[in-house]
Amino acid sequence: LFLRDIVDDDDDDDLERVSWSGEPVGSISWSIKETASSSTSSLEGRDSGLQKGSSSYAALPKQVSSYSLSSLFKGELCLSLSALSDTGVKNYAPELRRPKAEYKDYSSDWSPKDTVRRMQRGKVCSLERFRSLQDKLVLLDEAVAGHDGNVITAVLIFLKRTLRREILFRELEVRQVALCHLIHFLKEAGEQKLLLDLLRFLDRTEEVALSQYREHLNIQDVEKRREFLKGCIGLPFSAEDTSHIQDHYTLLERQIIIEANDRHLETAGQSEVFRKYPRKASILNMPLVTTLFYSCFYHYTEAEGTFSSPTNLKKTFKIPDKQYVLTALAARAKLRAWDDVDALFTTKNWLGYTKKKAPIGFHRVVEILQRNNAPVQVLQEYVRLVEDVETRLNLATKYKCHDVVIETYKDLKDRIQLTAYKCKVERGSAEEEKINSILNNMQIRWKN
């Protein structure tokens, strides 16, 4: 039973309370805290005081079961539930000071529509009066019709608590909006067992498989996680998802091998790169791109046949050329291995001629090199390879690649810009002499 028409403003905590912010739908954090407070002696004292007709009364004894639902979807929702004992209702109901009419806001005779409207306005109300299955379903339908995600979720929590699972699942199957809200809530609240039961009931085999796969996140032991992922390969995923699960298992298996070998090399001090650049973290459970960077940093020169070879990773996991070049460039530039950077972009044709080619665009190469403090001589080489003239001039000016700026203005036959740029170089420097030599060259046909 709940205190209905007979609650004073100071005792709102003794109701089953539902208050809503009306914020839009977002993420959910769920915490449940059980507390209990009351004593037999205090109850007896209050009972005797009430029987004497005292006009004042102490705080209501209660056994509290408090639920807090916050940040529901992207808004905020607070739901706290407190249940009063039958004794509390019987003893204190006759002694309230105000007329019953003043407590109409707490009436137990609200219709489902009125209840939903009150919840939307953040009013205090109890859902326990809706006892029959029909009343509960009408309440849910009204909540859905109100288009308020907070209210829908609150009603679903009430139904989840008061209905058997098979009945709840059966009724939600024909109410897709409410079903989607419950599935999202169960995912956010981490109620994995109930979620899996619901998905199985709905015959959503792929979603069941994905939910089971997510359980690997809770497994800390790397060997147990590897075995768990191995078992996930046989679950009823789509063809694309099956490929991803297989890659995840293969990657973790390889990381275990690399980690064991590198830990030994680092401890023994047998590798110069590990002595010069000690590892800051384990490679276990890292993403594929992080693993590739690690491999390019510590194992760049290894043969393709080894598990830790970057080319082996690229081939095994079908890493695109752009991603591989970006990652390898960042790793080798961090080590200031400029020869490796040069080789990364050098290609030969069938006649044996070499040229530089970058699948990511040389302007991005320049930016990555500059972030890794590459010397001007290295930067200039790649700034020259930027095809767009305006981009090349901007990069050369920004990073003070004077030779590139001078050569570009010479090629453009822009005497005015070259003369203006002369003021930006150091007086008496080799760059100033180069500009003077070009300006004095009578064979150049300037356009201005």
Side-chain angles (χ1 to χ4, degrees):
L1 292 177
F2 287 84
L3 205 58
R4 293 174 178 136
D5 306 314
I6 51 175
V7 180
D8 197 353
D9 294 340
D10 295 333
D11 294 297
D12 287 348
D13 289 340
D14 294 311
L15 283 176
E16 179 171 346
R17 178 188 297 274
V18 184
S19 63
W20 310 107
S21 66
E23 296 291 335
V25 177
S27 65
I28 302 173
S29 61
W30 175 253
S31 63
I32 299 178
K33 181 180 180 182
E34 291 292 341
T35 60
S37 63
S38 63
S39 64
T40 304
S41 59
S42 62
L43 275 172
E44 292 174 353
R46 287 166 185 153
D47 289 348
S48 61
L50 287 168
Q51 289 168 2
K52 293 177 182 178
S54 174
S55 61
S56 61
Y57 56 94
L60 295 176
K62 55 189 177 181
Q63 291 181 338
V64 181
S65 176
S66 176
Y67 297 78
S68 171
L69 177 59
S70 61
S71 301
L72 175 59
F73 304 130
K74 286 185 182 176
E76 293 182 352
L77 167 66
C78 180
L79 174 63
S80 60
L81 306 173
S82 301
L84 286 176
S85 65
D86 293 348
T87 304
V89 174
K90 293 176 182 177
N91 286 345
Y92 296 108
E95 299 300 327
L96 293 178
R97 295 167 293 176
R98 299 183 187 178
K100 212 171 187 180
E102 294 187 22
Y103 297 94
K104 59 184 178 181
D105 282 346
Y106 298 96
S107 171
S108 62
D109 297 327
W110 303 314
S111 67
K113 180 177 290 189
D114 291 336
T115 301
V116 169
R117 287 177 179 174
R118 286 181 56 80
M119 293 170 71
Q120 288 175 329
R121 294 196 301 268
K123 297 290 186 178
V124 176
C125 59
S126 168
L127 303 182
E128 296 297 328
R129 65 171 298 269
F130 300 101
R131 297 183 178 180
S132 70
L133 175 61
Q134 182 179 357
D135 287 345
K136 293 175 181 179
L137 295 178
V138 171
L139 178 65
L140 177 61
D141 291 337
E142 289 293 343
V144 172
H147 305 292
D148 189 320
N150 293 343
V151 176
I152 295 171
T153 303
V155 173
L156 285 170
I157 293 171
F158 169 66
L159 298 186
K160 180 172 73 73
R161 181 167 57 84
T162 58
L163 291 178
R164 294 204 307 271
R165 288 187 179 185
E166 56 271 21
I167 296 176
L168 178 64
F169 294 168
R170 184 189 68 210
E171 297 300 335
L172 289 180
E173 190 174 15
V174 294
R175 293 170 171 83
Q176 290 299 308
V177 173
L179 177 63
C180 290
H181 275 267
L182 181 60
I183 290 175
H184 185 79
F185 169 76
L186 294 177
K187 288 178 179 178
E188 292 291 325
E191 297 191 34
Q192 190 71 12
K193 187 177 185 304
L194 182 58
L195 175 62
L196 290 175
D197 289 344
L198 174 57
L199 294 176
R200 289 192 186 99
F201 176 86
L202 299 170
D203 198 27
R204 297 186 182 181
T205 55
E206 287 187 24
E207 290 187 52
V208 172
L210 286 172
S211 294
Q212 288 182 280
Y213 167 69
R214 290 191 191 99
E215 284 295 300
H216 82 272
L217 297 172
N218 300 321
I219 303 175
Q220 300 302 320
D221 184 85
V222 67
E223 290 293 342
K224 291 181 180 179
R225 180 179 286 201
R226 181 177 66 86
E227 290 303 314
F228 181 84
L229 290 173
K230 185 178 181 180
C232 288
I233 296 174
L235 295 176
F237 293 103
S238 64
E240 183 179 3
D241 287 339
T242 299
S243 175
H244 292 322
I245 302 300
Q246 178 67 61
D247 283 346
H248 190 174
Y249 168 73
T250 303
L251 177 62
L252 182 57
E253 191 174 43
R254 183 163 300 194
Q255 287 173 343
I256 293 173
I257 297 172
I258 295 173
E259 175 67 21
N261 182 62
D262 288 0
R263 189 186 298 116
H264 172 72
L265 290 174
E266 189 174 32
T267 303
Q270 298 174 356
S271 174
E272 181 181 353
V273 68
F274 284 113
R275 289 197 304 269
K276 193 173 181 180
Y277 303 98
R279 299 188 308 157
K280 296 181 179 180
S282 167
I283 193 61
L284 295 175
N285 298 316
M286 293 296 178
L288 176 59
V289 173
T290 305
T291 306
L292 178 61
F293 180 91
Y294 177 95
S295 180
C296 289
F297 194 92
Y298 289 108
H299 303 282
Y300 191 68
T301 59
E302 291 185 8
E304 185 178 332
T306 61
F307 283 141
S308 52
S309 165
T311 52
N312 188 301
L313 287 173
K314 179 178 184 293
K315 182 177 179 180
T316 301
F317 297 101
K318 299 179 176 61
I319 299 173
D321 288 340
K322 287 184 178 181
Q323 183 65 68
Y324 178 81
V325 169
L326 274 171
T327 308
L329 173 61
R332 302 319 291 172
K334 194 171 186 66
L335 287 170
R336 305 181 71 80
W338 309 125
D339 290 340
D340 290 340
V341 172
D342 183 74
L344 192 61
F345 301 107
T346 302
T347 60
K348 281 187 179 182
N349 62 15
W350 62 280
L351 292 174
Y353 294 105
T354 61
K355 68 174 184 177
K356 284 191 168 52
K357 183 179 179 182
I360 59 176
F362 282 107
H363 64 286
R364 296 189 67 185
V365 175
V366 171
E367 292 169 354
I368 293 173
L369 291 175
Q370 194 278 330
R371 285 201 298 269
N372 287 279
N373 301 314
V376 174
Q377 293 80 4
V378 175
L379 280 178
Q380 285 189 153
E381 182 178 354
Y382 293 96
V383 173
R384 285 190 181 98
L385 297 172
V386 177
E387 292 185 4
D388 183 74
V389 175
E390 185 178 352
T391 303
R392 188 195 317 152
L393 281 172
N394 289 337
L395 289 172
T397 303
K398 181 179 180 179
Y399 301 131
K400 297 183 179 181
C401 299
H402 300 306
D403 286 346
V404 178
V405 178
I406 294 169
E407 292 166 8
T408 302
Y409 284 140
K410 177 186 174 182
D411 293 339
L412 293 173
K413 297 179 172 58
D414 194 333
R415 185 184 184 92
I416 295 176
Q417 290 294 337
L418 185 59
T419 303
Y421 193 74
K422 180 181 176 181
C423 302
K424 298 181 180 180
V425 300
E426 188 177 347
R427 181 168 295 182
S429 64
E431 289 81 7
E432 186 182 48
E433 292 180 8
K434 185 174 183 178
I435 293 173
N436 288 332
S437 175
I438 294 172
L439 291 174
N440 294 330
N441 189 340
M442 303 302 294
Q443 295 181 351
I444 300 176
R445 295 184 178 182
W446 303 100
K447 71 177 184 179
N448 51 32

